[in-house]
Amino acid sequence: MARQSVTTQKITRAGTIPTAASPNVDGDIIDTGASVFLLVSNTGGSLAQVTVQSQATFDGLAVEDLVVPLAGGVTRAIGPIHTGTFGFPDGNANAGRAFVDYTGTPADIKRSVLSY
């Protein structure tokens, strides 16, 4: 399976009910930006982990990925997913987007990408 491209849902003043789905085992490709957040729930009983891959370097050194633990029964809002840290550079087929990986049971993880 290939990574899934996740549609970013706009948060409105009237209120947004996020549509959440499970990722596949290869992970996601999501939009980036100062107003982009990842909303992730672990509906299972065991620990999962969300990793947003960093594409940035500073002074020739790679900036570490963002790794967030997700205990069973927990929902977390992760972000913002800044383009400068997580987005692929211009010229890349995924320019301005980020790769997100998940550990745990994919069926137990529900995620949405939201922006305002």
Side-chain angles (χ1 to χ4, degrees), residues 6-107:
V6 181
T7 301
T8 300
Q9 301 168 61
K10 190 78 170 163
I11 299 171
T12 66
R13 289 183 185 198
T16 300
I17 299 172
T19 302
S22 295
N24 69 34
V25 295
D26 290 333
D28 292 329
I29 302 172
I30 67 168
D31 291 331
T32 61
S35 66
V36 177
F37 293 81
L38 189 59
L39 185 65
V40 185
S41 297
N42 181 355
T43 62
S46 50
L47 182 66
Q49 184 172 282
V50 179
T51 301
V52 183
Q53 294 184 17
S54 172
Q55 303 303 316
T57 59
F58 180 77
D59 200 20
L61 300 173
V63 174
E64 289 186 15
D65 295 341
L66 173 61
V67 179
V68 179
L70 193 62
V74 169
T75 297
R76 287 190 178 223
I78 303 168
I81 310 297
H82 286 285
T83 305
T85 305
F86 303 106
F88 281 91
D90 290 341
N92 184 290
N94 295 303
R97 304 200 78 206
F99 281 178
V100 181
D101 299 315
Y102 307 88
T103 64
T105 305

